Amino acid sequence: MNKIRYISIIFFLLITMPCLAHKEQKPFVDMLSAGEKELCIVTSITDSSKIISNPGNCPIEFLRRLGRAIAKSWPDKKTSIKTAALMFNEYIGRPDFFKFFVDEKLSEKQINSLNKLIDTHSDKFKEMMTEFNSAPEAITFKMIVNTAEIQKNLKELINTADNKLPAFAANEKEKIKENFLPVIEAFSDAYSLVSISEKGIFGRFNADSEKGNLQNFISINNLTIQDIIDDEPMILLAQTHSIQEPEIVMKKLESIPNTKVVKQMIASAGLDFEKDLISNYATESVFYINLTPTGEKMLPDVRWVAKIPNSQNLKSILPKLKNLCMQTGIFVTAIDTQTKDADLVRLNHFMLGENGVYAAVIDNFCVLSSTQEGAEKALNQLKNPSKKGNYESIKECNLYFRLRTSDLNIQLQQFLQSPLLRDKGIPPITNLTFLNDMNDVIVKSQMTNNKVKISLDVPFIKKNNN
């Protein structure tokens, strides 16, 4: 399995697990022994904004809702909560394998370690807050991953005799050894910060590598397609793709039982799985969504525009791809388009009725769209790119996500009333008025051999108090 998946899973768990850390948990082991364990993750949540203690006075609706929700489980008269996660190898494969404790449940030694980890990262947190000019009054969440301790625990687990672990642990140990531990060993430090205030929601996550070998686990490629990005859709996701040698990809696919059947089907259409398909895998892509019903079928506008290595090769095998579609029950209908040099077709599977997908190849790009109108927009943007979005700044990113919150509420209501959902018995969703307080949601990811850097920016619209 591609190791980038494990990196994503690791980062997701490290960021989201502490969110419930402040809740009271019953110790499942003798705390005298647990008190000697080193900390694997530490977190700190501080409210200097009164958002939690007095949410009713917040001018931002989202903050009022958030403050009331957190206040239900927030300890009385406390402005700060600290937690730490410990690892218990004997509970591998169970929830208690990795467990959080509030600071009251930690030993004096562990409290000292917790505070030391936070203090040693203070300059790094200040640098993060400088990036978005943090507000002095905010809910601030900090997290530090003790990568050295996690590596130590995982190595001890791998070397533990199977008879000292649960019966199913041997398989879990192998997964950790082959896929999890190498990724964790690549990082020397990982830390994150989230700030929530009347200025907005801002998050930063950094993971550093002293070895400088992250290219062994992730694709260190930056976006080059910023000039062709269409700024109009409500949602856009631009990203690079992890590219491996076709031979390596085929070797992995061969381990999947159904691959042989797929290869035979492709070969029957006169195509070579590796040379014709795998070697032309997309290097970058942009994904767009507009929920407003569009076109004759009144469907949401969903588009995928992918940059491919060899468009001429792909165009040369289009007749064979058409034969492959027909063999699998997909009808291919040519569609006239005003865009020069574009081959636009409608793909329709016999089991899906009249609904289909529109596909086109133009220059070095492949386009897939849920509607003909969306396909035409994508082709026109590729031939006549607009500079309205000004995405020059994302050329140092490997991933860029943007959600235009000003469009979300109205498009969602239109989608719920569309022919696709109108008679499905879906209960109405009230107007999401809190979105009116927000500017665009922006997520960026930057990667080098030495660092992974992920940022989240959701500025709030400044309120006029007059």
Side-chain angles (χ1 to χ4, degrees):
M1 183 179 288
N2 195 329
K3 292 181 179 177
I4 186 63
R5 296 182 184 178
Y6 286 91
I7 295 176
S8 302
I9 293 171
I10 292 168
F11 289 166
F12 175 79
L13 290 175
L14 295 181
I15 293 174
T16 58
M17 286 178 64
C19 293
L20 300 176
H22 65 275
K23 291 187 177 181
E24 186 73 16
Q25 301 187 44
K26 294 181 179 180
F28 58 95
V29 293
D30 179 8
M31 288 309 297
L32 290 177
S33 60
E36 298 301 315
K37 284 184 171 291
E38 292 294 332
L39 311 181
C40 294
I41 295 180
V42 303
T43 71
S44 170
I45 307 175
T46 304
D47 180 24
S48 61
S49 66
K50 309 302 181 184
I51 293 175
I52 299 174
S53 60
N54 193 5
N57 284 341
C58 293
I60 307 294
E61 181 183 349
F62 175 83
L63 296 183
R64 293 196 297 271
R65 294 190 181 194
L66 178 67
R68 292 187 185 109
I70 298 178
K72 294 178 181 178
S73 56
W74 189 267
D76 292 337
K77 299 179 181 180
K78 291 198 71 171
T79 59
S80 179
I81 295 176
K82 295 179 180 179
T83 71
L86 309 179
M87 287 181 68
F88 298 88
N89 289 346
E90 61 269 31
Y91 290 91
I92 180 176
R94 300 176 183 176
D96 293 336
F97 174 57
F98 197 85
K99 195 156 187 175
F100 279 90
F101 296 90
V102 293
D103 49 5
E104 288 89 348
K105 298 294 183 179
L106 301 176
S107 67
E108 182 179 354
K109 175 185 175 183
Q110 290 169 331
I111 290 293
N112 291 335
S113 296
L114 187 155
N115 291 328
K116 183 178 179 180
L117 277 169
I118 294 176
D119 290 342
T120 54
H121 286 75
S122 59
D123 289 341
K124 295 179 179 180
F125 287 135
K126 288 179 182 178
E127 183 179 346
M128 285 179 164
M129 290 188 288
T130 301
E131 292 182 14
F132 53 84
N133 190 20
S134 64
E137 297 182 349
I139 297 176
T140 305
F141 169 79
K142 299 176 182 177
M143 181 188 71
I144 301 156
V145 182
N146 190 350
T147 55
E149 183 60 25
I150 294 178
Q151 292 172 27
K152 176 185 173 184
N153 276 274
L154 294 180
K155 290 176 181 178
E156 289 177 354
L157 174 61
I158 291 171
N159 294 325
T160 301
D162 289 347
N163 59 7
K164 294 185 179 181
L165 295 171
F168 60 85
N171 186 41
E172 297 291 330
K173 283 170 55 177
E174 285 303 311
K175 292 179 182 178
I176 290 173
K177 181 179 179 180
E178 294 179 8
N179 300 304
F180 198 91
L181 182 58
V183 176
I184 287 291
E185 285 183 318
F187 294 98
S188 54
D189 196 10
Y191 47 98
S192 68
L193 180 144
V194 177
S195 173
I196 304 174
S197 70
E198 292 183 15
K199 293 185 65 175
I201 304 171
F202 303 94
R204 297 293 184 269
F205 175 82
N206 287 359
D208 302 327
S209 172
E210 289 182 352
K211 297 179 180 179
N213 65 341
L214 296 185
Q215 77 277 2
N216 295 336
F217 307 97
I218 54 182
S219 177
I220 310 295
N221 297 315
N222 292 335
L223 289 166
T224 65
I225 56 175
Q226 58 270 14
D227 289 341
I228 59 92
I229 291 179
D230 186 356
D231 186 61
E232 180 272 332
M234 178 185 69
I235 294 176
L236 75 83
L237 171 64
Q239 61 182 330
T240 61
H241 297 277
S242 180
I243 305 302
Q244 294 180 319
E245 293 298 325
E247 297 83 0
I248 298 176
V249 176
M250 283 302 303
K251 187 176 294 186
K252 293 180 179 180
L253 290 175
E254 294 290 355
S255 63
I256 302 174
N258 289 336
T259 299
K260 185 176 180 179
V261 176
V262 175
K263 286 179 66 177
Q264 290 175 346
M265 185 180 299
I266 292 173
S268 66
L271 294 168
D272 185 281
F273 194 9
E274 179 180 333
K275 294 180 180 179
D276 292 328
L277 301 182
I278 300 299
S279 62
N280 222 13
Y281 187 80
T283 57
E284 302 174 64
S285 68
V286 191
F287 186 70
Y288 303 106
I289 295 179
N290 272 322
L291 294 178
T292 302
T294 305
E296 182 181 348
K297 301 298 181 182
M298 298 298 287
L299 297 174
D301 175 17
V302 180
R303 301 173 234 161
W304 186 65
V305 180
K307 186 177 181 180
I308 51 181
N310 192 333
S311 61
Q312 292 302 317
N313 178 56
L314 184 57
K315 286 185 176 182
S316 68
I317 62 172
L318 285 178
K320 295 179 180 179
L321 287 174
K322 182 177 180 179
N323 291 335
L324 178 62
C325 289
M326 295 176 65
Q327 290 178 18
T328 55
I330 299 174
F331 298 102
V332 182
T333 306
I335 304 294
D336 292 332
T337 176
Q338 295 180 353
T339 306
K340 187 179 179 181
D341 301 327
D343 299 301
L344 179 62
V345 297
R346 182 172 180 266
L347 306 177
N348 172 234
H349 194 274
F350 74 95
M351 294 184 65
L352 298 179
E354 297 181 357
N355 294 322
V357 175
Y358 293 83
V361 178
I362 183 172
D363 298 334
N364 289 322
F365 293 91
C366 178
V367 174
L368 293 176
S369 175
S370 61
T371 66
Q372 181 176 346
E373 291 78 8
E376 296 281 6
K377 287 182 180 179
L379 293 172
N380 184 63
Q381 176 67 17
L382 289 170
K383 276 297 185 181
N384 306 286
S386 63
K387 300 296 182 181
K388 180 180 177 181
N390 190 22
Y391 291 100
E392 182 65 20
S393 62
I394 71 171
K395 63 182 180 181
E396 295 181 355
C397 300
N398 70 296
L399 180 146
Y400 175 85
F401 171 86
R402 192 223 64 211
L403 165 64
R404 185 174 288 119
T405 53
S406 59
D407 293 343
L408 178 56
N409 191 31
I410 186 171
Q411 287 200 22
L412 178 60
Q413 302 303 327
Q414 291 172 339
F415 179 53
L416 292 172
Q417 295 301 316
S418 68
L420 194 65
L421 298 179
R422 190 165 49 206
D423 300 322
K424 300 299 181 181
I426 299 175
I429 296 178
T430 58
N431 286 329
L432 307 178
T433 53
F434 67 87
L435 293 172
N436 298 333
D437 296 330
M438 298 180 178
N439 278 306
D440 293 353
V441 177
I442 303 291
V443 177
K444 295 180 181 179
S445 171
Q446 297 172 291
M447 297 184 183
T448 66
N449 275 333
N450 302 96
K451 182 182 285 290
V452 174
K453 184 175 181 178
I454 302 173
S455 65
L456 164 69
D457 293 309
V458 190
F460 289 152
I461 298 172
K462 188 175 181 179
K463 294 289 184 179
N464 188 351
N465 296 324
N466 296 330

